[in-house]
Amino acid sequence: MATTFDAIVIGTGQAGPSLAARLAQAGMKVAVIERKLFGGTCVNTGCIPTKTMVASAYAAHLARRAAEFGVVLKHPPEMAGGSGVSVDMKRVKARKDGISGQSRTGVESWLKSLPNCTVYRGSARFESAHEVSAGPERLAAERVFINVGGRAIIPAMPGLAEVPYLTNSSMMDVDFLPPHLVVVGGSYIGLEFAQMFRRFGSEVTVVTSGSRLIGREDEDISAAVHAIMEGEGIRVRLNARCIGLSRHGGGIGASLECTGGPPEVAGSHLLLAVGRRPNTDDLGLENAGVTQDKQGYIVVDDQLRTNVPGIWALGDCNGKGGFTHTSYNDFEIVAANLLDADRRRVSDRIPAYALYIDPPLGRAGMTEAQVRQDALQSGRAALMATMPMTRVGRAVEKGETQGFMKILVDAETKLILGAAILGMSGDEVIHCILDVMYAKAPYTVIERAMHIHPTVSELVPTLLGDLKPLVPSNSSAAKPLVQPNH
Ligand SMILES: Cc1cc2nc3c(=O)[nH]c(=O)nc-3n(C[C@H](O)[C@H](O)[C@H](O)COP(=O)(O)OP(=O)(O)OC[C@H]3O[C@@H](n4cnc5c(N)ncnc54)[C@H](O)[C@@H]3O)c2cc1C
């Protein structure tokens, strides 16, 4: 006999808990089911712990540069290979565990304290469209909200079964310095780990099948990120047509063509960061009749409804986002439609995200390549401006002048189409552009705004003053501002 609720929320990622709270507050009897760690990926194995570790890595990096700022460290110079700085990985991990743990227990105790809300531990599985099991429990509800997130893809690479490997989850247990970390994957997650471990003191090699790093970004952004990585001593191996793995000495070897012979890259530890897949394979979706795409993502409409009435999918498992803020935005969209008669839509949102290497990349809207493509197809005239961070006074003062800013606008409407800020505080500065995009205001609003000195943001109006026609072409092969050192 199933226990009946008004709503069942499966998973406590970035959408589920807030939605459970809103539903319970609205007087519904709510069940929340979590099978592992409260708070999900972001809190336990994603954003929060990685950004905590990025902060430790930044401190080590700055300490190594101390003399540039006139600061004298009193460590013996022979420490840590002569840099005078060594990193205590146990303390890095303890700091990370503390911050992540506080967040996790915060989510758990909050959910358990909510009136009208019952928390179940166990792996949820649909028995039918409106019945869900969680261990020995059987629950039923008219509304079911799926927020099960995703996990690292373990690719079918030759030799992978023979070697030990790490993922973003098992990296969280690393409390030692890998002598040589080989990162397979040249995208957002791989690059964040690559730079942080380089700064902790590891040798790092990034191996990717792509012809450039972060292939979704414009070529000049990729090139600048490549230069930043190599500038810190990270080796990058592009165009690996077939990555084969083997045991090599006490560690691992990677061949880049799978043609036999000695490995081309040898390291002590291997991190797989080649993408994510949704946690939908053991959810019993077939029992509910919920449609998935070929990769297992749950198919949803603009209001995040699945094909089955009364079942919604939010967060990474619907393939519409892949970020904490998109998952939280999913919660807002569902709550607005369900409880506030506010017809919010997924299609209302503007793509926005950051890459948390140092300096970070803040992104909003279209890339230059997309704008060029659009210009070719629609004939829409666009303008573009770029500015190297060496022109930003605040960056010069802080000794952090790597990167550049880029902005694209519609020549006719003056609306901002997209922007990339690769540079100091790029993850924050991008918001002054993003908000004007949401306001659907012309770029001249920012151009005329008085920004505070000295900031990176104060140069955004100056950047906009430099807009030039974007000549349509077949590729985004605009001359990179920074060339990689191949
Ligand atoms: C290394 C890394 C760094 C990242 N950094 C950033 C960043 O800086 N910024 C950003 O915006 N995003 C970042 N992300 C992405 C971000 O973590 C996710 O997009 C975010 O967590 C949204 O996830 P979600 O709400 O879909 O679910 P998740 O957070 O993945 O949570 C899903 C929950 O559901 C539970 N669950 C799964 N199946 C079941 C089941 N059958 N029964 C019961 N419970 C179940 C899981 O245990 C989990 O707790 C990062 C990801 C990684 C891996």
Side-chain angles (χ1 to χ4, degrees):
M1 186 60 188
T3 312
T4 303
F5 290 87
D6 296 310
I8 297 171
V9 175
I10 305 175
T12 63
Q14 293 302 308
S18 301
L19 184 62
R22 276 294 318 266
L23 297 171
Q25 199 184 31
M28 291 190 204
K29 194 180 157 205
V30 180
V32 174
I33 310 171
E34 173 55 58
R35 71 175 171 195
K36 217 170 166 198
L37 300 173
F38 284 87
T41 309
C42 183
V43 165
N44 299 290
T45 59
C47 338
I48 293 181
T50 54
K51 268 80 255 181
T52 305
M53 292 164 80
V54 163
S56 292
Y58 179 73
H61 178 68
L62 212 52
R64 282 190 192 101
R65 293 183 60 201
E68 283 178 47
F69 298 86
V71 175
V72 180
L73 299 180
K74 291 195 175 163
H75 291 302
E78 65 278 9
M79 242 173 85
S83 74
V85 174
S86 73
V87 175
D88 182 339
M89 289 303 294
K90 289 202 167 24
R91 282 166 69 180
V92 168
K93 180 175 178 295
R95 177 174 182 274
K96 181 266 293 173
D97 288 344
I99 291 170
S100 165
Q102 206 169 16
S103 202
R104 176 171 59 250
T105 48
V107 174
E108 180 171 3
S109 49
W110 176 49
L111 280 173
K112 288 181 174 168
S113 72
L114 286 175
N116 293 343
C117 182
T118 310
V119 175
Y120 290 89
R121 298 308 312 261
S123 201
R125 193 177 161 77
F126 280 92
E127 301 299 335
S128 68
H130 295 283
E131 275 204 355
V132 174
S133 59
E137 308 284 347
R138 225 176 156 95
L139 320 176
E142 295 225 332
R143 303 169 197 84
V144 184
F145 303 92
I146 308 170
N147 179 217
V148 292
R151 61 185 187 275
I153 288 178
I154 309 302
M157 284 176 178
L160 187 63
E162 322 307 324
V163 297
Y165 60 82
L166 295 155
T167 65
N168 70 290
S169 297
S170 46
M171 280 303 270
M172 297 298 115
D173 301 325
V174 171
D175 64 354
F176 57 89
L177 195 64
H180 186 163
L181 182 65
V182 176
V183 179
V184 175
S187 204
Y188 309 87
I189 292 174
L191 294 184
E192 288 181 20
F193 278 115
Q195 191 190 46
M196 82 171 78
F197 274 86
R198 179 66 191 137
R199 290 179 170 193
F200 290 152
S202 297
E203 292 290 312
V204 176
T205 304
V206 175
V207 176
T208 172
S209 57
S211 58
R212 56 192 176 91
L213 298 177
I214 44 171
R216 275 200 344 215
E217 303 299 336
D218 286 330
E219 288 184 25
D220 51 1
I221 299 282
S222 285
V225 166
H226 193 134
I228 289 165
M229 293 282 138
E230 287 197 334
E232 295 194 18
I234 295 166
R235 283 186 285 267
V236 180
R237 303 294 299 268
L238 303 173
N239 299 310
R241 276 193 295 197
C242 167
I243 301 170
L245 299 157
S246 57
R247 283 192 180 269
H248 184 75
I252 58 105
S255 62
L256 312 184
E257 299 284 343
C258 294
T259 47
E264 289 168 65
V265 174
S268 60
H269 294 78
L270 171 69
L271 167 64
L272 295 178
V274 295
R276 311 272 303 160
R277 58 176 290 193
N279 289 326
T280 49
D281 38 342
D282 57 354
L283 202 52
L285 288 172
E286 60 289 354
N287 300 333
V290 172
T291 307
Q292 297 166 257
D293 70 12
K294 276 192 203 123
Q295 285 143 3
Y297 290 102
I298 300 171
V299 178
V300 290
D301 66 9
D302 217 12
Q303 290 178 45
L304 303 162
R305 296 172 296 202
T306 69
N307 62 309
V308 178
I311 304 182
W312 289 254
L314 304 86
D316 288 8
C317 67
N318 65 26
K320 296 244 176 222
F323 298 99
T324 280
H325 45 278
T326 48
S327 181
Y328 189 78
N329 188 246
D330 283 359
F331 141 66
E332 293 180 320
I333 291 167
V334 170
N337 279 284
L338 216 59
L339 303 171
D340 305 332
D342 181 355
R343 300 278 158 255
R344 290 180 67 173
R345 301 274 188 280
V346 179
S347 51
D348 292 339
R349 68 187 177 210
I350 297 166
Y353 51 88
L355 161 66
Y356 288 94
I357 57 161
D358 172 44
L361 168 67
R363 279 271 301 110
M366 297 166 84
T367 62
E368 180 190 336
Q370 288 168 335
V371 172
R372 283 181 184 278
Q373 189 65 32
D374 180 64
L376 269 183
Q377 284 165 358
S378 67
R380 168 159 70 173
L383 306 172
M384 182 175 89
T386 58
M387 179 188 286
M389 292 299 284
T390 47
R391 275 187 63 194
V392 178
R394 181 74 167 153
V396 174
E397 288 146 16
K398 295 190 83 173
E400 301 190 5
T401 53
Q402 288 176 306
F404 67 98
M405 305 193 245
K406 179 191 316 201
I407 196 156
L408 295 131
V409 306
D410 185 309
E412 200 177 311
T413 63
K414 295 189 167 46
L415 294 178
I416 299 171
L417 301 172
I421 314 267
L422 172 64
M424 195 194 105
S425 306
D427 53 329
E428 298 289 347
V429 177
I430 196 73
H431 289 90
C432 79
I433 298 168
L434 187 59
D435 288 344
V436 170
M437 291 173 80
Y438 271 109
K440 295 191 170 55
Y443 75 83
T444 46
V445 169
I446 306 187
E447 213 182 3
R448 289 170 186 214
M450 182 186 74
H451 282 188
I452 296 166
H453 174 76
T455 58
V456 179
S457 304
E458 76 175 321
L459 267 295
V460 177
T462 315
L463 172 70
L464 286 163
D466 224 21
L467 285 166
K468 309 248 173 357
L470 185 72
V471 183
S473 80
N474 277 325
S475 77
S476 68
K479 205 162 157 263
L481 291 177
V482 186
Q483 296 282 0
N485 313 314
H486 286 297

